[in-house]
Amino acid sequence: MTEPESAAVDLEIIVQGAQEGKKQELRLWLRMLSTTKLVSQEIRRRLRNEFGATLPQFDLMAQLYRERDGLRLGELSKRTMVTNGNVTGLVERLETDGLVLRVTPDGDRRVTVAKLTAKGETIFGAMAVAHEGWLRDMMADVDPAIVSELWQDIGAVKSSVSNHLSGGDFD
Amino acid sequence: MTEPESAAVDLEIIVQGAQEGKKQELRLWLRMLSTTKLVSQEIRRRLRNEFGATLPQFDLMAQLYRERDGLRLGELSKRTMVTNGNVTGLVERLETDGLVLRVTPDGDRRVTVAKLTAKGETIFGAMAVAHEGWLRDMMADVDPAIVSELWQDIGAVKSSVSNHLSGGDFD
DNA sequence: GGCCGACATTTGAAATGTCAAAGGTTTACG
DNA sequence: CGTAAACCTTTGACATTTCAAATGTCGGCC
């Protein structure tokens, strides 16, 4: 095989004495991480096979799809949670493929705004539909009530984490 | 600022009409993904600042720490969910730093076994303690009962996903 | 012995990722 | 006006990531 596979044994193996009421957070984190990796790998594989696209490209286009007027690169960086320097190259490649356009507005020449081309909108539309279907498929065995509950509770985790970042990221 | 930050507005912005009972899975996925990225970035930052290590290196060492006799690179690949080719370079760098040792067993020269050096064990020990503390801190605001419930329910998600992979990953 | 299929790791090309430093632009203030 | 501070993006050095193809080794089988 050429890639990491199913794994009855995986990341979670790090936790050993997690049973005794300690390290619950570590245990949860490892499970979140391995699950996320699993789903990401699957989506990446399908994006590649069916659309010849990469996951970061998909993420970036998703943001532009919702903002037809385009977004500044810094805004894109925040929304995709990708560093500034990374956005530069990402947009560059998408521009080469004719999916994205870069414009410098008249008012402020420090800024670069990226927006989807017509071609980009068409292609992303198809990818988005497929993407949503893949997720529904993958989570098909999970009770919808649980899905909803998870969304809530993970929200609580996200919120807690946001309030305890070292980088002084409050508000 | 030089990196993506807190983000009241982030990945989840992709979902628009998720309210109407459709796309719950997509909504959940985006929240899982953004939360995982958030935690990963924080851990990465702290590993870097306090230990000069990277997250993949930490993950790899974590596996070796539990198997004092060492692991074959393929086994490491599965457990860390990192591709084979990737493990090669990862171990290479750790060996350069004197944290990991590579050995070819007498019986089978196809195989390479990696194990922690004494130095590696010492350093990883310190990192593991800190790492666990960081997670407890980050999740401090989450009710322990919820933590436990999340662990269960995310297990259900992971299991469902495992059963719906395109790569024919059954067993 | 010699070959073929299975196994294990490495290599190579391209993309993504981080961080820090450098480059232009704009704004504000003396 | 002129310069310093603030802002936005790009660049450069490295590490990580994936995939596919190559390399090396072992096993069994004629």
Side-chain angles (χ1 to χ4, degrees), chain B residues 127-146:
Chain B
M127 292 196 292
V129 171
H131 177 257
E132 199 220 315
W134 298 336
L135 283 164
R136 220 191 334 264
D137 288 349
M138 284 190 264
M139 300 193 185
D141 302 346
V142 185
D143 183 331
I146 300 281

Side-chain angles (χ1 to χ4, degrees), chain A residues 106-123:
Chain A
D106 294 348
D108 190 340
R109 268 181 319 192
R110 288 173 301 182
V111 172
T112 300
V113 171
K115 58 176 68 176
L116 285 184
T117 61
K119 179 182 174 191
E121 287 183 358
T122 304
I123 293 185

Side-chain angles (χ1 to χ4, degrees), chain A residues 5-156:
Chain A
E5 76 174 24
S6 70
V9 168
D10 69 7
L11 292 187
E12 297 189 29
I13 237 183
I14 302 178
V15 184
Q16 31 193 8
Q19 302 65 333
E20 304 110 32
K22 305 217 77 75
K23 306 198 184 184
Q24 298 297 312
E25 294 85 0
L26 177 55
R27 191 176 69 151
L28 171 58
W29 166 239
L30 294 172
R31 181 160 279 185
M32 282 184 61
L33 186 57
S34 58
T35 304
T36 299
K37 278 193 182 181
L38 196 60
V39 175
S40 289
Q41 281 167 354
E42 179 68 9
I43 293 179
R44 207 190 323 272
R45 185 179 329 162
R46 298 204 200 192
L47 274 177
R48 176 177 191 72
N49 292 342
E50 301 184 24
F51 296 98
T54 67
L55 187 47
Q57 287 170 358
F58 174 81
D59 283 350
L60 195 154
M61 291 176 74
Q63 297 303 333
L64 296 182
Y65 193 73
R66 293 208 66 238
E67 301 282 352
R68 299 308 173 92
D69 296 336
L71 287 169
R72 304 175 355 164
L73 299 198
E75 204 29 46
L76 263 178
S77 169
K78 271 186 248 179
R79 297 203 191 185
T80 54
M81 299 175 87
V82 151
T83 47
N84 276 330
N86 203 0
V87 167
T88 298
L90 227 22
V91 169
E92 220 164 64
R93 262 165 253 126
L94 287 169
E95 192 172 37
T96 301
D97 294 344
L99 301 172
V100 157
L101 206 61
R102 251 186 307 194
V103 187
T104 298
D106 294 348
D108 190 340
R109 268 181 319 192
R110 288 173 301 182
V111 172
T112 300
V113 171
K115 58 176 68 176
L116 285 184
T117 61
K119 179 182 174 191
E121 287 183 358
T122 304
I123 293 185
F124 178 79
M127 292 196 293
V129 171
H131 177 257
E132 199 219 316
W134 299 336
L135 283 164
R136 217 186 342 259
D137 288 350
M138 284 191 266
M139 299 193 185
D141 301 347
V142 184
D143 184 331
I146 300 281
V147 170
S148 215
E149 193 184 325
L150 277 169
W151 183 78
Q152 288 281 343
D153 291 346
I154 293 178

Side-chain angles (χ1 to χ4, degrees), chain B residues 3 32 39 72 74 76 100 115 117 130 132 134 147 151 161 164:
Chain B
E3 50 186 72
M32 281 184 63
V39 176
R72 303 174 357 165
L76 263 179
V100 158
K115 58 177 69 177
T117 62
E132 199 220 315
W134 298 336
V147 170
W151 183 77
V161 172
H164 295 273

